Amino acid sequence: MAYAPHIAQPVSVRIVMLKVLAALIPGIVAYVWFFGPAILVQILLASLTALTAEALMLKLRGKPVLLFVTDGSALVTAWLVALTFPPIVPWWLTVTGVLIAIVVTKHLYGGLGQNPFNPAMVAFCAMIVAYPQLMSQWPRAEMNTFEPMLRAIFASDRQLDAIVMATPLDALRTILRDPEQRATIAGILGSHATFGNIGGRGWEWVAAGYLIGGLWLLQQRIITWHVPVAFAVTLALVATAFNIANPDRFVGANFHLFTGGAMLGAFFIATDPVSGSTTPLGKIIFAAGAALLTWIIRSFGAYPDGMAFAIVLMNLFVPLIDMLTQPKVFGHRRKSDR
């Protein structure tokens, strides 16, 4: 039997990144099952682009290429970019998004551990502002025909009418804002093909896959509970409060949590140890702020899902949050105690 004090075995960046990639697999499996294998093409495309860009930037900066290319951080960024983009966007849009994430957001700020903003979310924000139409074309649920998706990714003539439809968040927002339809939440959720039992059709299972992977990351102590719990609780509380106040106008907590990027953001994006807050209380404030901004943008903003903008905006406040939430150093008193 070993006695305290214990020495924890250090965990390498490579092991952490590989576990994050493994945790994404349940969500990817559900993604492929409900929306077809096009997402695998985008993940492969994003991964090749990220590794190439990472190697070139390391070479230009005079850093050891093999050591950092194989640490897995570029692959995590690439997978997150691919999973947040529509799986049938043109190949060049995915490549451009990954280059923005790796070259601009990561290496121009000093490389791994130096970037103040989440690279994948900056790429998403840049692409949806520059190409809002392309970033709004999502495939129908339960699409099993791979050939039209492959043609949409690589061919110049994109004939998408048969394979695309509005996302649940976009459909809900569009119908609610049409005064002629005079629709209510209950009527919309019960009549539109894009909605499932508790969220968007197919998307609720993708979100459940991310939830399973996220819980495994918690069990492995790759992430702590502060960010995902604070994010989910805040989003659920705000959604529930407004749903109770006006159930015809505001959708409830289940829909917000299991539709769009809520679970992916809560477990895999807002938990980024570089661009997020580092103190325990700071993590809670950061995640709660991101959840509140996500709900505000979803409910009142111009974009159907505000996850990316919410996280990038909260990245701006991380230095201030960390400064104000530093825990008391053992043996020292707080200023308020003096």
Side-chain angles (χ1 to χ4, degrees), residues 23-36 39 83-84 138 141-142 198-214 257-265 267-268:
L24 286 167
I25 289 177
I28 295 174
V29 171
Y31 205 131
V32 173
W33 180 269
F34 284 99
F35 298 98
I39 187 61
L83 292 173
T84 52
W138 294 83
E142 300 168 4
I198 58 174
R201 176 172 295 178
W203 294 113
E204 54 199 2
W205 290 102
V206 177
Y210 293 141
L211 173 61
I212 292 171
L257 290 173
F258 287 91
T259 307
M263 287 297 169
L264 182 65
F267 286 98
F268 295 93

Side-chain angles (χ1 to χ4, degrees), residues 47-335:
S47 299
L48 293 175
T49 305
L51 292 175
T52 304
E54 180 91 344
L56 289 174
M57 291 305 296
L58 289 169
K59 186 71 175 177
L60 289 173
R61 296 176 55 217
K63 301 292 183 181
V65 175
L66 187 60
L67 176 65
F68 289 108
V69 164
T70 57
D71 66 10
S73 61
L75 283 180
V76 170
T77 300
W79 285 31
L80 292 178
V81 169
L83 292 173
T84 52
F85 281 29
I88 54 175
V89 293
W91 64 270
W92 56 263
L93 196 142
T94 301
V95 170
T96 305
V98 172
L99 290 177
I100 289 173
I102 297 294
V103 177
V104 178
T105 315
K106 182 178 180 181
H107 280 283
L108 292 189
Y109 281 97
L112 182 64
Q114 305 297 322
N115 48 287
F117 300 100
N118 187 289
M121 293 300 93
V122 170
F124 182 91
C125 293
M127 291 296 97
I128 201 169
V129 169
Y131 304 99
Q133 184 178 4
L134 292 175
M135 291 290 286
S136 302
Q137 295 173 336
W138 294 83
R140 296 175 180 274
E142 300 168 4
M143 275 290 300
N144 296 319
T145 50
F146 183 44
E147 191 272 336
M149 291 187 174
L150 203 60
R151 193 169 60 244
I153 296 172
F154 292 105
S156 57
D157 57 330
R158 292 167 54 82
Q159 299 176 357
L160 303 174
D161 291 343
I163 62 172
V164 299
M165 69 184 305
T167 64
L169 286 170
D170 199 13
L172 182 69
R173 170 174 159 272
T174 302
I175 297 173
L176 280 176
R177 293 186 179 185
D178 185 353
E180 295 183 357
Q181 298 201 36
R182 297 180 180 178
T184 63
I185 293 291
I188 296 170
L189 297 183
S191 62
H192 203 282
T194 192
F195 302 112
N197 295 319
I198 58 174
R201 176 172 295 178
W203 294 113
E204 54 199 2
W205 290 102
V206 177
Y210 293 141
L211 173 61
I212 292 171
L215 292 176
W216 182 71
L217 287 181
L218 281 172
Q219 188 273 331
Q220 292 289 306
R221 300 186 179 182
I222 300 299
I223 60 175
T224 64
W225 62 268
H226 305 81
V227 169
V229 170
F231 186 94
V233 169
T234 302
L235 186 58
L237 287 177
V238 175
T240 301
F242 277 85
N243 178 250
I244 291 174
N246 188 351
D248 291 338
R249 174 66 180 81
F250 298 102
V251 74
N254 287 343
F255 189 85
H256 275 286
L257 290 173
F258 287 91
T259 307
M263 287 297 169
L264 182 65
F267 286 98
F268 295 93
I269 299 174
T271 50
D272 179 11
V274 178
S275 58
S277 189
T278 56
T279 65
L281 179 58
K283 290 178 181 178
I284 294 174
I285 295 172
F286 174 83
L292 181 60
L293 287 172
T294 298
W295 181 86
I296 291 173
I297 295 172
R298 284 181 173 184
S299 302
F300 305 105
Y303 296 98
D305 195 348
M307 170 66 71
F309 291 102
I311 290 179
V312 171
L313 285 172
M314 287 307 297
N315 287 155
L316 290 169
F317 294 97
V318 165
L320 178 63
I321 294 172
D322 279 352
M323 183 182 70
L324 296 177
T325 59
Q326 287 295 320
K328 184 178 70 173
V329 177
F330 182 75
H332 291 256
R333 293 185 300 173
R334 294 181 186 276
K335 289 182 179 179

